[in-house]
C-alpha cells in the first residue's frame, strides 16, 4: 500500500495528540521542534482552553516551538524559571532498535538535547518511516558548529571517516544559521558502530557545540503506523 503525504500528516497528528494526552496539570513540559511535535503543542493548547489542563508551562527547544506555544496559549518559560522538566515531547529523524536517535533536521538539536535530557519522561513522536535498523542509514548526523571553526571541524570529521556538508538555507542565500547563531554540518558516516562513542568523539572536537546523536535519553516512543489501512499508534518503551 502506498502512503500519501496526507496519510503521513494524519499519522503525525494522531501521534502528536496521543503524546499531548499524557501531560497532566501542573507539569513543566519540554516543547520539541518539528512537524509532529507541532500537533502535540496544538493539542496542549486545546486541552488548556477546554479546561482539561491547568497550570502547565512550556519550555521551548526553538523559536518555532516558542512561537507555536504562544499561539496556542501555553505559558512559555525558560530553564531559568523552573527546577525540573516533567515531560518532553519531541520528534526524531531516525530511531534505531536501541531507542537511539538522530535529531537535528530542524537545526534545533542543541536546545532539544538540553531540554529532552532534563525531562523525567522523554516521549519521542514519529511516524513509521523514521524507524531504521541501523542509525545513519537515511539521515546524516548534524553538528552545530561555531562559524569560525567550520574549516577545522570539517577536517577533523573527515579524519573520522565522515563526509561533511555545510547545510544551506532554502529560500535563503547562504548557510542555515541556528537559533544560537551557529552553522550546521551534516555528516554522513558509512556505518555508526558505536553511537555513544561517536557522540562523545564529535562533541570533543573544538568548535562543535553539539551533535544530533541522542543516546540513552529516550524513555518512550510513540510510532504512528498503518495496519490494515488504518492509522494506529504503537508504543515502544
Amino acid at each position: 500500500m502506498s502512503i500519501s503525504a496526507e496519510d503521513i500528516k494524519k499519522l503525525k497528528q494522531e501521534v502528536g495528540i496521543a503524546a499531548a494526552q499524557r501531560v497532566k496539570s501542573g507539569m513543566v513540559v519540554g516543547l520539541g521542534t518539528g512537524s509532529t511535535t507541532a500537533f502535540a503543542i496544538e493539542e496542549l493548547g486545546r486541552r488548556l482552553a477546554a479546561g482539561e489542563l491547568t497550570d502547565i508551562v512550556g519550555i521551548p527547544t526553538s523559536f518555532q516551538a516558542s512561537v507555536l506555544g504562544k499561539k496556542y496559549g501555553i505559558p512559555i518559560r525558560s530553564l531559568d524559571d523552573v527546577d525540573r522538566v516533567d515531560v518532553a515531547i519531541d520528534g526524531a529523524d531516525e530511531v534505531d532498535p536501541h531507542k537511539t536517535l538522530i535529531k537535528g533536521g530542524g537545526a534545533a538539536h542543541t536546545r532539544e538535547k538540553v531540554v529532552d535530557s532534563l525531562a523525567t519522561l522523554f516521549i519521542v513522536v514519529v511516524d513509521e518511516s523514521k524507524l531504521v535498523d541501523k542509525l545513519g542509514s537515511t539521515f546524516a548526523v548534524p553538528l552545530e558548529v561555531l562559524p569560525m571553526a567550520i574549516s577545522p571541524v570539517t577536517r577533523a570529521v573527515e579524519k573520522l571517516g565522515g563526509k561533511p556538508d555545510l547545510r544551506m538555507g532554502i529560500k535563503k542565500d547562504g548557510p542555515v544559521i541556528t537559533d544560537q547563531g551557529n552553522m550546521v554540518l551534516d555528516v554522513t558516516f558509512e556505518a555508526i558502530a558505536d553511537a555513544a562513542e561517536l557522540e562523545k568523539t564529535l562533541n570533543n572536537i573544538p568548535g562543535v557545540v553539539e551533535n544530533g546523536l541522542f543516546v540513552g535519553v529516550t524513555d518512550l516512543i510513540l510510532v504512528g503506523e498503518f495496519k490494515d489501512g488504518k492509522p494506529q499508534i504503537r508504543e515502544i518503551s
Side-chain angles (χ1 to χ4, degrees):
M1 160 187 159
S2 64
I3 299 175
S4 69
E6 195 57 39
D7 287 336
I8 291 286
K9 183 180 175 183
K10 181 67 178 167
L11 277 184
K12 289 180 174 186
Q13 185 174 23
E14 296 272 347
V15 173
I17 289 171
Q21 290 289 338
R22 292 171 178 264
V23 174
K24 297 181 173 66
S25 294
M27 282 188 166
V28 177
V29 186
L31 305 177
T33 303
S35 55
T36 308
T37 317
F39 288 117
I41 294 172
E42 183 178 357
E43 174 66 6
L44 288 173
R46 186 202 66 76
R47 292 187 68 201
L48 274 173
E52 295 173 24
L53 275 181
T54 55
D55 299 325
I56 71 163
V57 298
I59 307 295
T61 58
S62 63
F63 291 152
Q64 183 216 28
S66 180
V67 167
L68 280 176
K70 289 171 184 173
K71 176 182 176 180
Y72 294 116
I74 300 168
I76 297 298
R77 300 287 183 269
S78 76
L79 289 174
D80 293 336
D81 304 319
V82 299
D83 59 2
R84 70 186 194 281
V85 178
D86 296 301
V87 60
I89 300 170
D90 215 340
D93 299 296
E94 280 191 352
V95 181
D96 81 356
H98 306 291
K99 296 191 293 186
T100 302
L101 318 175
I102 291 181
K103 290 176 51 54
H109 53 282
T110 296
R111 290 194 191 187
E112 288 170 341
K113 196 176 281 192
V114 173
V115 174
D116 298 345
S117 297
L118 286 170
T120 303
L121 176 66
F122 174 34
I123 303 174
V124 175
V125 288
V126 290
D127 64 82
E128 58 189 331
S129 70
K130 304 299 174 66
L131 301 181
V132 296
D133 292 328
K134 290 184 176 180
L135 218 57
S137 50
T138 64
F139 210 83
V141 178
L143 306 187
E144 180 162 349
V145 181
L146 296 174
M148 64 166 286
I150 284 291
S151 292
V153 170
T154 294
R155 290 192 293 269
V157 165
E158 286 172 343
K159 282 183 182 173
L160 292 173
K163 294 178 182 172
D165 270 316
L166 182 63
R167 188 181 299 182
M168 304 305 283
I170 296 172
K171 296 186 179 178
K172 170 196 176 294
D173 292 332
V176 166
I177 303 298
T178 70
D179 290 356
Q180 289 74 244
N182 299 312
M183 295 180 182
V184 177
L185 283 177
D186 290 310
V187 185
T188 304
F189 292 95
E190 279 191 17
I192 298 175
D194 187 336
E197 195 58 37
L198 183 59
E199 181 184 28
K200 292 175 191 169
T201 301
L202 292 171
N203 276 358
N204 274 336
I205 299 171
V208 172
V209 179
E210 188 54 84
N211 71 77
L213 289 167
F214 282 51
V215 183
V217 183
T218 308
D219 298 301
L220 174 66
I221 302 164
L222 299 181
V223 184
E225 56 190 9
F226 280 99
K227 280 282 164 74
D228 302 321
K230 294 178 182 175
Q232 67 172 34
I233 294 163
R234 175 162 59 101
E235 292 185 20
I236 303 172
S237 57

